[in-house]
Amino acid sequence: MKKVMFVCKRNSCRSQMAEGFARKLGEGKIAVTSSGLEASRVHPTAIQVMSEIGIDITDQTSDAFSDFNAEDYDAVISLCGCGVNLPEAWVMREVFQDWQLDDPDGQSIETFHRVRDEIKERVENLIQNLV
């Protein structure tokens, strides 16, 4: 089973939504973790927009990227363009992608919905390519 790490700046919105989708859509197919260049909180609006489509991310935690080891993961996905800030060991995994999605934090609910839907589509493609 492939192990996937989603990374973002604060592990608050985008990476949390990606983790939620990957856990649900990739259940039994991939193992998933998310982290941030710094830890913060799981954004309440991210929790809300995911619950609207039946995915509960309330038990997910915001974790610091530095708490993990690159060699434990097959795929590393940056959601914010932060790939340039990652140590080389992370960028050199079997799969590395930098999705560069808009940060919905502080934006309208419509932005959260749009980013959520973009993440879902990309996670579905990722799972297909890894399995």
Side-chain angles (χ1 to χ4, degrees):
M1 186 178 314
K2 300 283 187 186
K3 293 183 75 178
V4 179
M5 170 65 79
F6 291 105
V7 184
C8 220
K9 287 186 180 93
R10 291 181 309 277
N11 192 212
S12 172
C13 298
R14 292 164 287 187
S15 51
Q16 293 291 344
M17 290 190 280
E19 180 181 349
F21 277 124
R23 285 187 187 284
K24 179 90 167 179
L25 303 172
E27 190 172 6
K29 300 175 189 168
I30 60 172
V32 186
T33 308
S34 72
S35 65
L37 298 181
E38 58 188 71
S40 59
R41 66 188 174 131
V42 182
H43 198 291
T45 309
I47 293 170
Q48 175 191 330
V49 299
M50 292 300 284
S51 71
E52 290 171 4
I53 57 169
I55 298 176
D56 181 5
I57 63 170
T58 54
D59 289 337
Q60 291 178 194
T61 57
S62 179
D63 300 301
F65 170 76
S66 55
D67 294 344
F68 302 94
N69 296 312
E71 55 274 4
D72 294 337
Y73 295 91
D74 302 294
V76 176
I77 310 299
S78 162
L79 289 97
C80 62
C82 68
V84 296
N85 298 316
L86 300 179
E88 186 177 339
W90 287 92
V91 180
M92 301 306 291
R93 303 319 302 154
E94 181 181 324
V95 174
F96 176 81
Q97 296 176 8
D98 206 333
W99 292 353
Q100 299 193 21
L101 299 168
D102 293 338
D103 186 355
D105 190 13
Q107 304 298 315
S108 67
I109 190 77
E110 290 80 16
T111 301
F112 269 89
H113 286 139
R114 177 178 56 78
V115 171
R116 176 199 66 196
D117 295 346
E118 288 173 17
I119 291 170
K120 179 183 182 196
E121 187 176 315
R122 288 176 184 245
V123 168
E124 287 171 337
N125 290 334
L126 177 68
I127 293 166
Q128 280 183 335
N129 292 331
L130 289 177
V131 175

